[in-house]
Amino acid sequence: MHDGRALVVSAAAHALGVRPGMRAGGIVAICPQTTLMERAPMREEAALQALVLAMYQFTPDIALDDGGLLLDVGASLRLFGGPARLTRLVRACLAQCSGPEPSDPRFRVGQNHKGLAAEMHLPDKPGLDRSD
């Protein structure tokens, strides 16, 4: 929750009708068992750092841009046994990290013009410098 609105919802809450952007009162009305958690920017930053470190096992070419974490793994395809196997490995790593669920629509792994790419969209983080 940020400014009284949901930023991210779990798959279970989504299945019950909870959507990002909903106010706390609306969420509790349709899904009273939902646990509402306020943003914790320091915890989010620590989780992002842990995720970036975990992704370095697949590629040194990682970028944080426009709310997304981008991995250029084109040079890693052969090392990890091709696109399908590398996709499975990245998804398994994400499942172990504190990042989104692999089925989360904010996370995509697929081909681009350079080869395989993984993209994870992150909520805006106040105070996070994305210029690096």
Side-chain angles (χ1 to χ4, degrees):
M1 301 292 297
H2 183 67
D3 290 336
R5 293 185 179 270
L7 287 176
V8 179
V9 300
S10 69
H14 191 270
L16 294 171
V18 178
R19 301 292 183 266
M22 290 180 71
R23 293 191 179 279
I27 294 170
V28 172
I30 63 171
C31 190
Q33 69 273 24
T34 299
T35 301
L36 303 177
M37 297 177 1
E38 284 297 319
R39 290 190 75 179
M42 289 178 66
R43 192 173 68 216
E44 291 173 13
E45 182 65 23
L48 176 60
Q49 293 292 331
L51 182 60
V52 169
L53 287 174
M55 292 297 112
Y56 272 126
Q57 68 185 303
F58 303 112
T59 180
D61 193 2
I62 299 173
L64 183 61
D65 188 38
D66 293 331
L69 181 63
L70 303 172
L71 311 177
D72 183 353
V73 294
S76 303
L77 291 175
R78 188 178 208 182
L79 177 66
F80 289 100
R85 183 165 184 274
L86 183 54
T87 298
R88 285 192 305 272
L89 291 170
V90 169
R91 286 186 183 279
C93 184
L94 282 168
Q96 292 176 350
C97 293
S98 60
E101 300 171 25
S103 61
D104 191 313
R106 295 172 301 130
F107 173 71
R108 294 190 311 249
V109 175
Q111 293 287 135
N112 67 9
H113 67 284
K114 289 181 157 183
L116 186 74
E119 180 178 11
M120 185 181 81
H121 288 280
L122 306 165
D124 290 334
K125 294 183 175 10
L128 179 63
D129 180 9
R130 296 183 184 278
S131 61
D132 295 335

